[in-house]
Amino acid sequence: MPHLAVNDIHAKYGKLEVLHGIDFDVDRGEVVSLVGPSGSGKSTVLRALVGLTPVTSGSIEVDGTRIDYSAPRAVRAARDRMAIVFQQYNLFQNMNVLRNVTLAPTKVKGRNRKEVEAEGMELLKLVGMDHKAKAFPDELSGGQQQRVAIARALALRPEILLLDEVTSALDPELVNEVLDAIRRLASEGMTMLIVSHEMSFVREVSSKVVFMDNGQVVEAGDPSAIFDGPKSDRARDFFGKVLRG
Ligand SMILES: Nc1ncnc2c1ncn2[C@@H]1O[C@H](COP(=O)(O)OP(=O)(O)OP(=O)(O)O)[C@@H](O)[C@H]1O
Ligand SMILES: [Mg+2]
């Protein structure tokens, strides 16, 4: 049974349908990447998974159980199981790094602060930010802040991590430190669904690549099949442009 199954989901913004039936699975411990042109619906898929954009038909299953997004309690449970990190990391500016990481587990989940802090330090170590635990966000580079944002998402102990272009707001020299943190998570067996324009990274870290265009999955498969031998004209055209040079 897949860890996450996305079955023929449709989604709308107002009257405009932007997802026209998306299907893919993510197995436990697998890293799946969504790629495709701007506006193809990648972020909408991630938003739908955490109930930020309503799904009008189709289903999303975690461990074989369908999530009922009409029930607030089920949406909360889905958000406990899947954490999303956006391009804009939005750390709490008035709190130090460790407090950013421990706030939700202590305040929202009511967990023991000492225990959460110990775990928070481990997560900061995982993303290479433990040395800045006492620093404030405005004392950090963009890449460092993004790594803290990833640790913050992990502090809620999600089973599946959703990453939406977490490197695209960063200066090029800061991209690698964030990619390293994601690599480390992958090697620890974290199930991840990644949206990224970093094609060489996608190729290296993903077990499956889902190419989307215009609210549909055009083709999906292992990275070498998708990158080296795309079957559709649309994917050939897209990869021809993004992989050139
Ligand atoms: N809040 C919104 N209201 C209305 N339409 C939206 C909204 N957000 C996205 N859309 C539309 O939905 C479609 C899919 O957008 P989405 O953000 O999912 O694309 P994307 O693949 O993530 O693109 P990008 O690579 O630029 O981030 C686009 O046509 C977009 O214009
Ligand atoms: Mg997007």
PDB file of all heavy atoms in Angstrom, residues 13-14 16 18-19 36-45 47 87 164-165 195 197 212, ligand 1:
ATOM      1  N   TYR A  13     -10.003  27.070  -8.426  1.00  0.00           N
ATOM      2  CA  TYR A  13      -9.949  28.368  -7.749  1.00  0.00           C
ATOM      3  C   TYR A  13     -11.149  29.130  -8.271  1.00  0.00           C
ATOM      4  O   TYR A  13     -11.208  29.447  -9.466  1.00  0.00           O
ATOM      5  CB  TYR A  13      -8.659  29.122  -8.079  1.00  0.00           C
ATOM      6  CG  TYR A  13      -7.426  28.533  -7.411  1.00  0.00           C
ATOM      7  CD1 TYR A  13      -6.470  27.849  -8.167  1.00  0.00           C
ATOM      8  CD2 TYR A  13      -7.212  28.685  -6.046  1.00  0.00           C
ATOM      9  CE1 TYR A  13      -5.338  27.320  -7.563  1.00  0.00           C
ATOM     10  CE2 TYR A  13      -6.075  28.155  -5.444  1.00  0.00           C
ATOM     11  CZ  TYR A  13      -5.147  27.482  -6.201  1.00  0.00           C
ATOM     12  OH  TYR A  13      -4.034  26.956  -5.606  1.00  0.00           O
ATOM     13  N   GLY A  14     -12.127  29.394  -7.438  1.00  0.00           N
ATOM     14  CA  GLY A  14     -13.363  29.996  -7.916  1.00  0.00           C
ATOM     15  C   GLY A  14     -14.015  29.052  -8.913  1.00  0.00           C
ATOM     16  O   GLY A  14     -14.227  27.876  -8.611  1.00  0.00           O
ATOM     17  N   LEU A  16     -12.680  28.386 -11.877  1.00  0.00           N
ATOM     18  CA  LEU A  16     -11.668  27.871 -12.791  1.00  0.00           C
ATOM     19  C   LEU A  16     -11.055  26.577 -12.259  1.00  0.00           C
ATOM     20  O   LEU A  16     -10.420  26.570 -11.200  1.00  0.00           O
ATOM     21  CB  LEU A  16     -10.568  28.936 -12.947  1.00  0.00           C
ATOM     22  CG  LEU A  16      -9.424  28.607 -13.887  1.00  0.00           C
ATOM     23  CD1 LEU A  16      -9.886  28.653 -15.346  1.00  0.00           C
ATOM     24  CD2 LEU A  16      -8.264  29.569 -13.663  1.00  0.00           C
ATOM     25  N   VAL A  18      -8.272  24.044 -12.050  1.00  0.00           N
ATOM     26  CA  VAL A  18      -6.842  24.081 -12.377  1.00  0.00           C
ATOM     27  C   VAL A  18      -6.169  22.713 -12.257  1.00  0.00           C
ATOM     28  O   VAL A  18      -5.077  22.512 -12.782  1.00  0.00           O
ATOM     29  CB  VAL A  18      -6.071  25.133 -11.547  1.00  0.00           C
ATOM     30  CG1 VAL A  18      -6.604  26.522 -11.828  1.00  0.00           C
ATOM     31  CG2 VAL A  18      -6.113  24.833 -10.066  1.00  0.00           C
ATOM     32  N   LEU A  19      -6.788  21.771 -11.552  1.00  0.00           N
ATOM     33  CA  LEU A  19      -6.291  20.384 -11.578  1.00  0.00           C
ATOM     34  C   LEU A  19      -7.374  19.537 -12.223  1.00  0.00           C
ATOM     35  O   LEU A  19      -8.519  19.523 -11.777  1.00  0.00           O
ATOM     36  CB  LEU A  19      -5.996  19.859 -10.168  1.00  0.00           C
ATOM     37  CG  LEU A  19      -4.916  20.572  -9.350  1.00  0.00           C
ATOM     38  CD1 LEU A  19      -4.732  19.866  -8.003  1.00  0.00           C
ATOM     39  CD2 LEU A  19      -3.583  20.656 -10.103  1.00  0.00           C
ATOM     40  N   GLY A  36       7.424  20.686 -13.812  1.00  0.00           N
ATOM     41  CA  GLY A  36       6.584  21.140 -14.913  1.00  0.00           C
ATOM     42  C   GLY A  36       6.558  22.647 -14.970  1.00  0.00           C
ATOM     43  O   GLY A  36       7.039  23.326 -14.064  1.00  0.00           O
ATOM     44  N   PRO A  37       6.003  23.185 -16.059  1.00  0.00           N
ATOM     45  CA  PRO A  37       6.042  24.631 -16.258  1.00  0.00           C
ATOM     46  C   PRO A  37       5.273  25.403 -15.193  1.00  0.00           C
ATOM     47  O   PRO A  37       4.416  24.852 -14.492  1.00  0.00           O
ATOM     48  CB  PRO A  37       5.392  24.839 -17.635  1.00  0.00           C
ATOM     49  CG  PRO A  37       4.831  23.545 -18.047  1.00  0.00           C
ATOM     50  CD  PRO A  37       5.394  22.471 -17.189  1.00  0.00           C
ATOM     51  N   SER A  38       5.581  26.679 -15.099  1.00  0.00           N
ATOM     52  CA  SER A  38       4.885  27.574 -14.187  1.00  0.00           C
ATOM     53  C   SER A  38       3.391  27.551 -14.490  1.00  0.00           C
ATOM     54  O   SER A  38       2.984  27.594 -15.652  1.00  0.00           O
ATOM     55  CB  SER A  38       5.456  28.981 -14.380  1.00  0.00           C
ATOM     56  OG  SER A  38       4.804  29.876 -13.527  1.00  0.00           O
ATOM     57  N   GLY A  39       2.585  27.450 -13.452  1.00  0.00           N
ATOM     58  CA  GLY A  39       1.133  27.435 -13.636  1.00  0.00           C
ATOM     59  C   GLY A  39       0.566  26.062 -13.936  1.00  0.00           C
ATOM     60  O   GLY A  39      -0.643  25.911 -14.127  1.00  0.00           O
ATOM     61  N   SER A  40       1.417  25.029 -13.931  1.00  0.00           N
ATOM     62  CA  SER A  40       0.914  23.691 -14.283  1.00  0.00           C
ATOM     63  C   SER A  40       0.123  23.050 -13.133  1.00  0.00           C
ATOM     64  O   SER A  40      -0.564  22.060 -13.351  1.00  0.00           O
ATOM     65  CB  SER A  40       2.061  22.779 -14.724  1.00  0.00           C
ATOM     66  OG  SER A  40       3.053  22.679 -13.730  1.00  0.00           O
ATOM     67  N   GLY A  41       0.236  23.606 -11.927  1.00  0.00           N
ATOM     68  CA  GLY A  41      -0.589  23.102 -10.825  1.00  0.00           C
ATOM     69  C   GLY A  41       0.180  22.387  -9.722  1.00  0.00           C
ATOM     70  O   GLY A  41      -0.421  21.783  -8.841  1.00  0.00           O
ATOM     71  N   LYS A  42       1.510  22.492  -9.738  1.00  0.00           N
ATOM     72  CA  LYS A  42       2.332  21.770  -8.758  1.00  0.00           C
ATOM     73  C   LYS A  42       2.016  22.219  -7.328  1.00  0.00           C
ATOM     74  O   LYS A  42       1.788  21.391  -6.443  1.00  0.00           O
ATOM     75  CB  LYS A  42       3.822  21.985  -9.077  1.00  0.00           C
ATOM     76  CG  LYS A  42       4.204  21.621 -10.501  1.00  0.00           C
ATOM     77  CD  LYS A  42       5.671  21.903 -10.803  1.00  0.00           C
ATOM     78  CE  LYS A  42       6.087  23.356 -10.678  1.00  0.00           C
ATOM     79  NZ  LYS A  42       5.502  24.264 -11.728  1.00  0.00           N
ATOM     80  N   SER A  43       2.030  23.541  -7.115  1.00  0.00           N
ATOM     81  CA  SER A  43       1.754  24.034  -5.755  1.00  0.00           C
ATOM     82  C   SER A  43       0.332  23.693  -5.343  1.00  0.00           C
ATOM     83  O   SER A  43       0.079  23.392  -4.172  1.00  0.00           O
ATOM     84  CB  SER A  43       1.935  25.557  -5.689  1.00  0.00           C
ATOM     85  OG  SER A  43       3.276  25.889  -5.927  1.00  0.00           O
ATOM     86  N   THR A  44      -0.586  23.733  -6.294  1.00  0.00           N
ATOM     87  CA  THR A  44      -1.980  23.425  -5.973  1.00  0.00           C
ATOM     88  C   THR A  44      -2.112  21.987  -5.469  1.00  0.00           C
ATOM     89  O   THR A  44      -2.886  21.715  -4.549  1.00  0.00           O
ATOM     90  CB  THR A  44      -2.877  23.674  -7.203  1.00  0.00           C
ATOM     91  OG1 THR A  44      -2.683  25.021  -7.633  1.00  0.00           O
ATOM     92  CG2 THR A  44      -4.349  23.457  -6.869  1.00  0.00           C
ATOM     93  N   VAL A  45      -1.342  21.071  -6.038  1.00  0.00           N
ATOM     94  CA  VAL A  45      -1.374  19.684  -5.558  1.00  0.00           C
ATOM     95  C   VAL A  45      -0.950  19.639  -4.087  1.00  0.00           C
ATOM     96  O   VAL A  45      -1.623  19.026  -3.252  1.00  0.00           O
ATOM     97  CB  VAL A  45      -0.469  18.770  -6.412  1.00  0.00           C
ATOM     98  CG1 VAL A  45      -0.322  17.394  -5.773  1.00  0.00           C
ATOM     99  CG2 VAL A  45      -1.026  18.641  -7.831  1.00  0.00           C
ATOM    100  N   ARG A  47      -0.984  22.075  -1.928  1.00  0.00           N
ATOM    101  CA  ARG A  47      -1.990  22.778  -1.116  1.00  0.00           C
ATOM    102  C   ARG A  47      -3.218  21.901  -0.889  1.00  0.00           C
ATOM    103  O   ARG A  47      -3.797  21.903   0.193  1.00  0.00           O
ATOM    104  CB  ARG A  47      -2.381  24.096  -1.788  1.00  0.00           C
ATOM    105  CG  ARG A  47      -1.223  25.120  -1.822  1.00  0.00           C
ATOM    106  CD  ARG A  47      -1.592  26.321  -2.701  1.00  0.00           C
ATOM    107  NE  ARG A  47      -2.852  26.906  -2.274  1.00  0.00           N
ATOM    108  CZ  ARG A  47      -2.977  27.786  -1.277  1.00  0.00           C
ATOM    109  NH1 ARG A  47      -1.913  28.203  -0.629  1.00  0.00           N
ATOM    110  NH2 ARG A  47      -4.154  28.256  -0.943  1.00  0.00           N
ATOM    111  N   GLN A  87       8.346  28.318  -0.261  1.00  0.00           N
ATOM    112  CA  GLN A  87       9.480  29.136  -0.702  1.00  0.00           C
ATOM    113  C   GLN A  87       9.733  30.291   0.286  1.00  0.00           C
ATOM    114  O   GLN A  87      10.860  30.616   0.610  1.00  0.00           O
ATOM    115  CB  GLN A  87       9.124  29.662  -2.087  1.00  0.00           C
ATOM    116  CG  GLN A  87      10.087  30.640  -2.661  1.00  0.00           C
ATOM    117  CD  GLN A  87       9.585  31.131  -4.008  1.00  0.00           C
ATOM    118  OE1 GLN A  87       8.712  30.544  -4.629  1.00  0.00           O
ATOM    119  NE2 GLN A  87      10.147  32.227  -4.455  1.00  0.00           N
ATOM    120  N   ASP A 164       7.841  22.976  -1.262  1.00  0.00           N
ATOM    121  CA  ASP A 164       7.472  23.716  -2.467  1.00  0.00           C
ATOM    122  C   ASP A 164       8.533  24.747  -2.820  1.00  0.00           C
ATOM    123  O   ASP A 164       8.571  25.835  -2.249  1.00  0.00           O
ATOM    124  CB  ASP A 164       6.110  24.403  -2.281  1.00  0.00           C
ATOM    125  CG  ASP A 164       5.542  24.899  -3.606  1.00  0.00           C
ATOM    126  OD1 ASP A 164       6.254  24.808  -4.635  1.00  0.00           O
ATOM    127  OD2 ASP A 164       4.398  25.378  -3.623  1.00  0.00           O
ATOM    128  N   GLU A 165       9.391  24.406  -3.743  1.00  0.00           N
ATOM    129  CA  GLU A 165      10.431  25.317  -4.242  1.00  0.00           C
ATOM    130  C   GLU A 165      11.159  26.021  -3.112  1.00  0.00           C
ATOM    131  O   GLU A 165      11.277  27.241  -3.088  1.00  0.00           O
ATOM    132  CB  GLU A 165       9.804  26.349  -5.178  1.00  0.00           C
ATOM    133  CG  GLU A 165       9.270  25.682  -6.425  1.00  0.00           C
ATOM    134  CD  GLU A 165       8.886  26.680  -7.497  1.00  0.00           C
ATOM    135  OE1 GLU A 165       9.456  27.783  -7.499  1.00  0.00           O
ATOM    136  OE2 GLU A 165       8.041  26.344  -8.324  1.00  0.00           O
ATOM    137  N   VAL A 195       8.530  19.840  -4.887  1.00  0.00           N
ATOM    138  CA  VAL A 195       8.389  20.641  -6.106  1.00  0.00           C
ATOM    139  C   VAL A 195       9.678  21.430  -6.233  1.00  0.00           C
ATOM    140  O   VAL A 195      10.055  22.145  -5.298  1.00  0.00           O
ATOM    141  CB  VAL A 195       7.185  21.604  -6.016  1.00  0.00           C
ATOM    142  CG1 VAL A 195       7.171  22.555  -7.202  1.00  0.00           C
ATOM    143  CG2 VAL A 195       5.877  20.828  -5.933  1.00  0.00           C
ATOM    144  N   HIS A 197      12.652  23.324  -9.156  1.00  0.00           N
ATOM    145  CA  HIS A 197      13.171  23.605 -10.496  1.00  0.00           C
ATOM    146  C   HIS A 197      14.648  23.215 -10.612  1.00  0.00           C
ATOM    147  O   HIS A 197      15.266  23.442 -11.647  1.00  0.00           O
ATOM    148  CB  HIS A 197      13.008  25.094 -10.828  1.00  0.00           C
ATOM    149  CG  HIS A 197      11.578  25.506 -11.002  1.00  0.00           C
ATOM    150  ND1 HIS A 197      10.779  24.964 -11.990  1.00  0.00           N
ATOM    151  CD2 HIS A 197      10.801  26.369 -10.326  1.00  0.00           C
ATOM    152  CE1 HIS A 197       9.569  25.499 -11.903  1.00  0.00           C
ATOM    153  NE2 HIS A 197       9.548  26.359 -10.890  1.00  0.00           N
ATOM    154  N   MET A 212       4.107  17.452 -14.840  1.00  0.00           N
ATOM    155  CA  MET A 212       2.756  18.005 -14.981  1.00  0.00           C
ATOM    156  C   MET A 212       2.741  19.124 -15.992  1.00  0.00           C
ATOM    157  O   MET A 212       3.704  19.862 -16.142  1.00  0.00           O
ATOM    158  CB  MET A 212       2.280  18.599 -13.639  1.00  0.00           C
ATOM    159  CG  MET A 212       1.988  17.558 -12.579  1.00  0.00           C
ATOM    160  SD  MET A 212       1.485  18.337 -11.018  1.00  0.00           S
ATOM    161  CE  MET A 212       0.037  19.253 -11.543  1.00  0.00           C
TER     162      MET A 212
HETATM  163  N1  LIG B   1      -5.026  31.756  -5.320  1.00  0.00           N
HETATM  164  C1  LIG B   1      -5.308  31.544  -6.614  1.00  0.00           C
HETATM  165  N2  LIG B   1      -6.424  32.053  -7.186  1.00  0.00           N
HETATM  166  C2  LIG B   1      -6.709  31.832  -8.481  1.00  0.00           C
HETATM  167  N3  LIG B   1      -5.955  31.096  -9.305  1.00  0.00           N
HETATM  168  C3  LIG B   1      -4.841  30.568  -8.813  1.00  0.00           C
HETATM  169  C4  LIG B   1      -4.451  30.761  -7.446  1.00  0.00           C
HETATM  170  N4  LIG B   1      -3.280  30.113  -7.225  1.00  0.00           N
HETATM  171  C5  LIG B   1      -2.961  29.536  -8.408  1.00  0.00           C
HETATM  172  N5  LIG B   1      -3.887  29.809  -9.362  1.00  0.00           N
HETATM  173  C6  LIG B   1      -3.882  29.309 -10.739  1.00  0.00           C
HETATM  174  O1  LIG B   1      -3.853  27.897 -10.694  1.00  0.00           O
HETATM  175  C7  LIG B   1      -2.994  27.367 -11.704  1.00  0.00           C
HETATM  176  C8  LIG B   1      -1.954  26.467 -11.055  1.00  0.00           C
HETATM  177  O2  LIG B   1      -1.147  27.254 -10.206  1.00  0.00           O
HETATM  178  P1  LIG B   1       0.000  26.659  -9.294  1.00  0.00           P
HETATM  179  O3  LIG B   1       0.410  27.722  -8.346  1.00  0.00           O
HETATM  180  O4  LIG B   1      -0.454  25.376  -8.724  1.00  0.00           O
HETATM  181  O5  LIG B   1       1.136  26.377 -10.382  1.00  0.00           O
HETATM  182  P2  LIG B   1       2.655  25.909 -10.187  1.00  0.00           P
HETATM  183  O6  LIG B   1       2.851  24.725 -11.057  1.00  0.00           O
HETATM  184  O7  LIG B   1       2.958  25.771  -8.745  1.00  0.00           O
HETATM  185  O8  LIG B   1       3.456  27.136 -10.825  1.00  0.00           O
HETATM  186  P3  LIG B   1       4.890  27.785 -10.406  1.00  0.00           P
HETATM  187  O9  LIG B   1       5.944  26.872 -10.981  1.00  0.00           O
HETATM  188  O10 LIG B   1       4.870  29.113 -11.089  1.00  0.00           O
HETATM  189  O11 LIG B   1       4.919  27.894  -8.920  1.00  0.00           O
HETATM  190  C9  LIG B   1      -2.413  28.565 -12.446  1.00  0.00           C
HETATM  191  O12 LIG B   1      -3.158  28.744 -13.608  1.00  0.00           O
HETATM  192  C10 LIG B   1      -2.634  29.715 -11.488  1.00  0.00           C
HETATM  193  O13 LIG B   1      -2.838  30.900 -12.200  1.00  0.00           O
END
